[in-house]
């Protein structure tokens, strides 16, 4: 479960950005809150980020993806070679990730300032804090801490700087002298040793599901659920969305390669027809590319990160997906959804709490700012109330991230 994520000097963000999944003490949609049974801490099941094009929405997601890839890249490539895997596509995907020059470009001083990340997350009964600072592609700080949920004190797994490395009890006796400053220590330990705390932290990063549904390639993908139970559930979900697809059929060639995929439609009179999957609407194809992942996420209680989730989806379908996470009947294991969106029809109190609506916007110096609706103060000094028409206020620029006017609030230029 993601608790908090901070980063700075990353692309359009010069100063520190803070994304908080910890629930505020407000009375909005209390039934949707995820409560850790161990200590009673309350978390949000969803955060939606709005704002103008180029305002930095996707960059927030990219920063989290960058950190994840930085931690996992060498682990995954090592595992692929160790298992003698021939999946060159996965190796190439991680090998091609560009980690260079991600600092804020609109201030020449930023190239000499570290890109910094700080993330707090929970597993079943533990809370981890991981910190990473990178300067000119070299790691200058990396720390990992662990705390048993419900206890006050946190323990050091490791603290690493340019000049020294302090190891906690879990890593006693591990040789770290030869770990170079481009290799994350968390990755080195995960590759070469069997340390439960490190493996658990790495697994959390591994289980984040990143999807980009504004990518046209995704529209041509169909992901089949692993079990018959999930497959049946997926078609039940489609039926609730008024999509009358009841099954699909796959044709393969003599070598077992997929040639064609057909969707089966059942009409009200009971008659059935098949059409090629590629002939379905782009919105329907998108649903097929994401529903299986959503089911996995809900089943495992993991984090899904979706950029432009509303692209090509009817607002009714978008709302249905969001409510899969906010409804405790479907989200029984504390799954979370982090998305970007332009759809204001779902920006209503019935769908989101005020601390689940966030905005991104640029100041006149081309630096992005990230903030939540609940933290925003209007011109009269008052915070938005839970009976406001959020979408209308947003379109009028009342929340400072007008989607149509690039010149928005002057956030100030003082350091």
């Amino acid at each position: 479960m993601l608790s908090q994520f901070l980063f700075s000097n990353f692309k359009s963000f010069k100063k520190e950005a803070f994304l908080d999944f910890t629930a505020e003490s407000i009375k909005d949609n209390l039934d949707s809150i995820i409560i850790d049974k161990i200590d009673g801490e309350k978390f949000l099941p969803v955060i939606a980020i709005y704002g103008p094009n180029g305002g930095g929405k996707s960059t927030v997601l990219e920063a989290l993806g960058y950190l994840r890839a930085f931690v996992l890249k060498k682990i995954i490539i090592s595992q692929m070679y160790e298992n003698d895997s021939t999946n060159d596509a996965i190796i190439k995907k991680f090998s091609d990730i560009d980690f260079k020059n991600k600092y804020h470009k609109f201030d020449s001083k930023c190239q000499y300032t570290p890109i910094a990340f700080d993330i707090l997350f929970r597993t079943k009964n533990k809370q981890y804090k991981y910190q990473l600072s990178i300067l000119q592609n070299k790691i200058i700080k990396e720390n990992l801490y662990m705390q048993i949920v419900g206890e006050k004190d946190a323990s050091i797994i490791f603290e690493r700087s340019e000049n020294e490395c302090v190891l906690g009890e879990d890593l006693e006796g591990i040789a770290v002298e030869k770990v170079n400053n481009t290799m994350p220590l968390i990755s080195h330990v995960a590759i070469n040793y069997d340390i439960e705390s490190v493996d658990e932290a790495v697994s959390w990063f591994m289980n984040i599901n990143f999807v980009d549904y504004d990518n046209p390639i995704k529209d041509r993908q169909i992901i089949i659920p692993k079990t018959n139970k999930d497959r049946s559930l997926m078609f039940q979900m489609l039926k609730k969305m008024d999509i009358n697809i009841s099954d699909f059929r796959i044709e393969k060639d003599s070598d077992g390669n997929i040639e064609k995929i057909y969707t089966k439609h059942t009409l009200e009179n009971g008659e059935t027809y098949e059409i090629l999957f590629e002939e379905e609407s782009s919105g329907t194809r998108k649903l097929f590319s994401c529903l299986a992942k959503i089911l996995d996420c809900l089943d495992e209680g993991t984090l899904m990160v979706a950029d432009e989730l509303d692209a090509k989806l009817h607002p009714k379908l978008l709302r249905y997906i969001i409510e899969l996470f906010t409804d405790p009947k479907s989200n029984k294991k504390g799954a979370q959804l982090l998305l970007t969106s332009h759809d204001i029809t779902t920006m209503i109190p019935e769908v989101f709490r005020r601390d689940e609506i966030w905005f991104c916007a640029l100041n006149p110096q081309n630096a992005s700012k990230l903030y939540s609706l609940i933290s925003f103060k209007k011109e009269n000094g008052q915070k938005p109330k839970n009976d406001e028409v959020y979408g209308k206020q947003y379109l009028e620029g009342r929340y400072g991230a007008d989607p149509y006017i690039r010149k928005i609030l002057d956030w100030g230029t003082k350091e």
Side-chain angles (χ1 to χ4, degrees), residues 322-360:
I322 292 169
E323 290 178 346
L324 287 173
F325 288 85
T326 58
D327 186 347
K329 293 180 181 178
S330 53
N331 187 8
K332 298 178 181 179
K333 296 187 178 180
Q336 293 172 302
L337 172 65
L338 173 61
L339 70 142
T340 64
S341 179
H342 289 288
D343 181 74
I344 62 169
T345 64
T346 51
M347 195 193 290
I348 55 177
E350 292 80 9
V351 176
F352 291 121
R353 289 164 49 95
R354 284 168 291 166
D355 50 0
E356 293 173 335
I357 297 174
W358 289 63
F359 301 104
C360 258

Side-chain angles (χ1 to χ4, degrees), residues 211-325:
V211 288
D212 178 4
Y213 292 123
D214 195 33
N215 183 345
I217 295 176
K218 299 290 184 182
D219 290 344
R220 298 193 296 271
Q221 295 180 345
I222 179 171
I223 300 175
I224 303 171
K226 298 175 184 177
T227 66
N228 289 333
K229 179 182 176 182
D230 283 346
R231 177 169 164 168
S232 174
L233 182 57
M234 184 177 77
F235 289 115
Q236 290 177 33
M237 292 165 66
L238 289 171
K239 186 176 181 180
K240 289 181 180 179
M241 299 180 197
D242 294 327
I243 297 174
N244 63 358
I245 297 176
S246 56
D247 206 346
F248 54 82
R249 181 172 62 86
I250 298 174
E251 284 187 0
K252 298 182 180 181
D253 60 21
S254 57
D255 296 324
N257 298 314
I258 295 175
E259 282 191 327
K260 294 179 180 179
I261 300 175
Y262 295 87
T263 53
K264 180 179 178 181
H265 291 251
T266 302
L267 306 184
E268 288 184 358
N269 60 10
E271 294 183 358
T272 60
Y273 298 89
E274 288 186 340
I275 64 172
L276 284 168
F277 176 69
E278 61 194 50
E279 294 178 349
E280 295 285 357
S281 70
S282 59
T284 299
R285 295 197 304 268
K286 177 176 178 175
L287 282 172
F288 266 91
S289 73
C290 74
L291 281 181
K293 290 185 177 182
I294 291 172
L295 285 172
D296 278 345
C297 185
L298 293 170
D299 190 50
E300 299 295 331
T302 53
L303 171 65
M304 173 170 279
V305 181
D307 196 17
E308 304 286 1
L309 183 58
D310 58 319
K312 300 180 182 178
L313 276 186
H314 189 282
K316 179 181 176 181
L317 303 185
L318 175 63
R319 177 170 178 170
Y320 180 84
I321 290 174
I322 292 169
E323 290 178 346
L324 287 173
F325 288 85

